[in-house]
Amino acid sequence: MPQEVYQHTFDNGLTLLAERMEHVRSAALNFLVPAGCAYDPEPHRSIASVLSDLITRGAGNRDSRELSLALDNLGMDRDESVGTLHTRFWGATLARNLPAALDIYADIIRRPHLPEEEIDAVKALALQDLQGLEDEPRHKVMIELRRLHYPPPLGQDRRGTEEGIASLTADVVRKHYRRLFTPRGTIVSVAGNIEWAALRDQIGRLFGDWTAPEPPTLTLGQTTTHRAHLEKETTQTQIGIAYPSVPITHPDYYAAIGAVNVLSGGMSARLFTEVREKRGLCYAVSASYSGFKERASVICYAGTTNERAQETLDVTLGELMRLQDGIEPEEVERVQAGLKSSLIMQEESTSSRAGTLASDWYYLGRVRSFDEIKSAIDGLTPGGITEHLRRYPAKGFTIVTLGPKALQTDE
C-alpha cells in the first residue's frame, strides 16, 4: 500500500505533517515545540520540565481538573516530555476524536493558565525527580556522560539542579513560556485515519493567527574534560562511554547505524557476546546511536561488580576499537533482519509514524519513505560498514564511571 504523506507550512512558520493510514481506526498527534532543556537559562535549570507539567494544569476555559477530564473523555493516551531541543506533546485516540483533541491541545499550547497556586506542587515533583537519581546510578552516570561529551548546553539534563528548581516562580515560568513557545520551528504531525484537507483547515484555524517572537538560537560552548568519576559506596560500578559518530544527514548514516547494531543489536551482538557471555564481566552492556542535526555519538553503558570493573572497561573499549578490523556477513544479516522488523512494526503504529514524521522533518527537512529506508538497509554490506568504521573509527572517548573507586583511563 503506497504511503500518503502530506505537508504544509503556514505563513507563521508552523509546519503540519500528516500520514493517512486508512486501515486503522485510531489517530496519533505529536507537537514538537522548540523549547527543550538546552534553552534553560543557568539560574533556572529545570524550567523546561516544570513548564511541561504546569502547562497542562488548566488551559483555555478549563481549569486543571476540567482539562484532564476533557482529555480522559476522549480516551486519550497522552504524555508530555522534555528533550534537549524540544518539548513534546503526544496523544493517541480514536480517529473520530482527533478534531476535539486538537482543539484542546491548541488551548494547552497557546492559552495555558500556568497557575501560580500550582507552582509549588510542580516544583516539589521536579525536586523528587531530581533527588531520585541518587537511587538510579545508571541514569546518573549517563547524565554526567552526556554533560561532559556534548558542548554546553547540549549536555544539559532536563532535571536541572536543586538551586534552579528553588529559583522558579510562576512569573519566571510564564516569561520562559512567552520566549520559547512560538510557531516558527514548531512541528505538528498526525498519523492515522485522517482526511488531509479537513485536518489542514482545522490546524489553520487553531494556529494560523499564532504570532510570537523568533525562537532564540543556541550558542554552543566548549567541552573542557572527557573523564570523570562519581565516587559512591556501592557494590557495583557503572561505566559510561561516548565517542563521535556521523549525523543523520551524513551519507554514512546507515553504515553508522549498522555498526552500532553489530555492537548491540540483540543477544548475539558483539558486546553482549564478548563482554558478558564469554567473559562474564558484567550483567548489562549496550551501545546506542544518539544524534543532533550536526553531530552524533555512540553511547555505551556497562554495569558490573567493583572487582571486575577495570577489566570490563578495558574489554569494552577494545571491542569498540576492534570493530573496524572487519564485520562478518552473518552479523550484517542479523542487523538487517532487526532493522526491517523495527521498520515493519513502526509502519503499523500511528504513534510511531507521527513521531517519525516530525523527527524526519526536523532533521532532514523531508519525510523518508519506507522504500527509501528499506533500500538503505538492504544496501548494508560487511565491506561498506567496515569502510565507514575505518573513516570514522572509535576514538575521542568520553568516559564516566560511578562507584567506590576510579578506574584507569588513557586520555
Side-chain angles (χ1 to χ4, degrees), residues 113-252:
H113 296 175
L114 305 177
E116 186 166 4
E117 63 271 17
E118 299 272 8
I119 188 69
D120 287 342
V122 174
K123 288 169 61 177
L125 291 174
L127 185 60
Q128 290 177 36
D129 190 20
L130 175 63
Q131 292 174 339
L133 286 176
E134 294 304 315
D135 299 321
E136 297 285 349
R138 174 173 181 168
H139 290 165
K140 187 169 183 178
V141 79
M142 300 310 282
I143 287 170
E144 183 67 7
L145 178 70
R146 288 179 171 86
R147 188 184 73 81
L148 295 185
H149 183 66
Y150 289 115
L154 293 182
Q156 288 186 181
D157 181 62
R158 63 172 181 80
R159 297 168 187 81
T161 62
E162 291 191 14
E163 296 78 11
I165 295 170
S167 74
L168 298 178
T169 65
D171 186 54
V172 168
V173 175
R174 289 172 187 146
K175 288 179 180 177
H176 188 75
Y177 162 81
R178 289 193 293 268
R179 184 172 73 96
L180 289 180
F181 272 61
T182 171
R184 192 164 301 281
T186 292
I187 300 171
V188 183
S189 56
V190 178
N193 199 336
I194 56 97
E195 295 295 335
W196 167 247
L199 174 65
R200 182 190 59 206
D201 290 347
Q202 183 183 10
I203 295 296
R205 290 194 303 273
L206 295 175
F207 295 96
D209 64 346
W210 185 17
T211 59
E214 288 289 315
T217 57
L218 286 178
T219 300
L220 301 185
Q222 298 291 324
T223 55
T224 56
T225 182
H226 293 278
R227 298 289 189 275
H229 176 69
L230 308 177
E231 187 170 343
K232 190 176 180 68
E233 287 300 321
T234 61
T235 59
Q236 299 167 341
T237 295
Q238 315 294 320
I239 301 170
I241 304 168
Y243 60 93
S245 185
V246 298
I248 190 173
T249 53
H250 195 281
D252 274 15

Side-chain angles (χ1 to χ4, degrees), residues 308-321:
R308 311 204 72 177
Q310 185 66 56
E311 187 181 0
T312 299
L313 173 61
D314 295 342
V315 171
T316 301
L317 289 173
E319 287 301 318
L320 297 178
M321 292 183 285

